[in-house]
Amino acid sequence: MTKNLLRMHKISVSIDETQILHQITLSINKGEVHVLLGPNGAGKSTLGYTIMGNPRYEVTEGSLLFEEEDIQTQSPDTRARKGIFLSFQAPEEVPGVELSSFVRTSTSAVSESSERLLAFQKRLKENMNLLNMDQAYTSRELNVGFSGGEKKKSEILQMLMLNPKLAILDETDSGLDVDAVKTVSSGVKNYLNKDNSLLIITHNTKILEELPVDFVHIMVGGRIVATGGPELITKVNTEGFHPFEEV
Ligand SMILES: Nc1ncnc2c1ncn2[C@@H]1O[C@H](COP(=O)(O)OP(=O)(O)OP(=O)(O)O)[C@@H](O)[C@H]1O
Ligand SMILES: [Mg+2]
């Protein structure tokens, strides 16, 4: 079976006629952990939205394959069903929808076989325990009145319940206290296996210490200017992004 999961080739993206991403080439194989680092405004979230298929982001050139299928014309819903998950930098509040029913609806929407309610509830409980989330949150409205850190945990909970093939985490660790970073990091570790892949966008490299990082990409000004191994994390932490801005 092929190891290819995502193949992005020379993708350029514009928002309202302004070009944000310039010829991005990125390949993610099954089971790999990729990290995307870059200064504010570099285009990292734009890359996440582009992979997910947000219609605001217009792909002006290049190709985007998921499991060797061209997904460029597919809606975000279709992409989610194919196994792509994006956690948002700023998760939205969804009044009137309980956390548990939201997760139930989304897991049934993306999976082919239907999961029995009891099995779903058991899995939800286990994953909430793993994330140190109070069970009382299942009946609260999704993200409504959740603290910043609780919203981020609820995103990770959704990821664990959906078990996507590719999870893109956009600053899921920002605003988390030191213990919560560890909890979220162990949740992410639990998600990883030889088939599941991760693209993690972050400014706080603490979360990466516990993760088996394979590749690190540096994005500056809408371009990937360097790709390497975990040594790039140390370089960024000590020297910042300046060395990459000059290349
Ligand atoms: N909807 C939009 N309309 C206009 N410009 C946008 C829009 N979304 C993003 N941009 C611009 O695109 C650029 C890249 O933004 P993006 O959110 O991808 O950056 P980022 O690398 O995720 O930054 P951060 O680290 O601050 O989250 C920025 O200059 C931003 O202002
Ligand atoms: Mg961003």
Side-chain angles (χ1 to χ4, degrees):
M1 215 174 67
T2 173
K3 291 288 282 174
N4 288 0
L5 189 62
L6 186 86
R7 289 281 177 274
M8 189 173 232
H9 186 70
K10 292 195 170 173
I11 285 272
S12 293
V13 174
S14 295
I15 306 168
D16 302 334
E17 317 268 298
T18 306
Q19 187 170 358
I20 311 282
L21 298 183
H22 303 262
Q23 303 212 322
I24 302 291
T25 294
L26 176 69
S27 283
I28 300 180
N29 289 325
K30 289 178 183 167
E32 286 179 352
V33 175
H34 289 244
V35 176
L36 182 60
L37 303 175
N40 294 130
K44 304 179 300 297
S45 295
T46 302
L47 185 71
Y49 286 124
T50 302
I51 297 171
M52 201 65 228
N54 183 319
R56 282 208 68 186
Y57 299 76
E58 189 200 347
V59 177
T60 53
E61 62 172 328
S63 61
L64 181 59
L65 305 183
F66 189 71
E67 295 194 306
E68 298 182 348
E69 181 189 1
D70 184 351
I71 56 166
Q72 264 200 72
T73 56
Q74 295 177 353
S75 69
D77 269 7
T78 307
R79 296 184 199 200
R81 271 195 290 277
K82 295 253 154 77
I84 306 178
F85 171 88
L86 171 68
S87 88
F88 296 103
Q89 189 168 356
E92 281 189 26
E93 301 194 354
V94 188
V97 179
E98 283 183 8
L99 183 143
S100 62
S101 43
F102 179 82
V103 176
R104 175 81 174 149
T105 308
S106 44
T107 49
S108 337
V110 301
S111 72
E112 282 144 24
S113 56
S114 63
E115 184 180 26
R116 304 285 288 264
L117 183 61
L118 273 178
F120 167 83
Q121 285 167 335
K122 182 167 174 280
R123 222 158 52 82
L124 185 65
K125 193 172 174 186
E126 286 166 0
N127 284 322
M128 288 183 85
N129 284 341
L130 183 75
L131 295 172
N132 278 332
M133 285 177 85
D134 191 329
Q135 297 294 326
Y137 282 78
T138 49
S139 51
R140 278 183 59 174
E141 293 171 292
L142 184 67
N143 293 334
V144 177
F146 283 25
S147 76
E150 289 165 350
K151 284 182 185 169
K152 300 289 167 122
K153 280 193 181 180
S154 115
E155 294 277 304
I156 296 296
L157 177 67
Q158 288 166 45
M159 176 191 78
L160 290 171
M161 293 301 290
L162 290 166
N163 193 30
K165 291 174 183 161
L166 173 65
I168 305 164
L169 301 183
D170 192 356
E171 294 191 35
T172 304
D173 50 337
S174 69
L176 293 177
D177 67 50
V178 280
D179 295 326
V181 169
K182 284 201 182 118
T183 308
V184 163
S185 170
S186 64
V188 173
K189 255 164 89 179
N190 225 41
Y191 152 78
L192 289 173
N193 60 35
K194 67 176 184 27
D195 289 321
N196 287 350
S197 309
L198 183 66
L199 174 62
I200 181 160
I201 301 169
T202 187
H203 288 297
N204 170 8
T205 55
K206 194 101 196 126
I207 194 167
L208 305 174
E209 289 172 8
E210 300 278 315
L211 298 177
V213 173
D214 296 300
F215 295 98
V216 178
H217 311 276
I218 312 288
M219 182 180 271
V220 176
R223 291 183 169 83
I224 290 183
V225 295
T227 290
E231 71 282 354
L232 281 183
I233 301 170
T234 319
K235 188 172 166 77
V236 166
N237 278 339
T238 50
E239 301 173 44
F241 291 112
H242 293 295
F244 302 100
E245 283 162 353
E246 286 149 18
V247 286

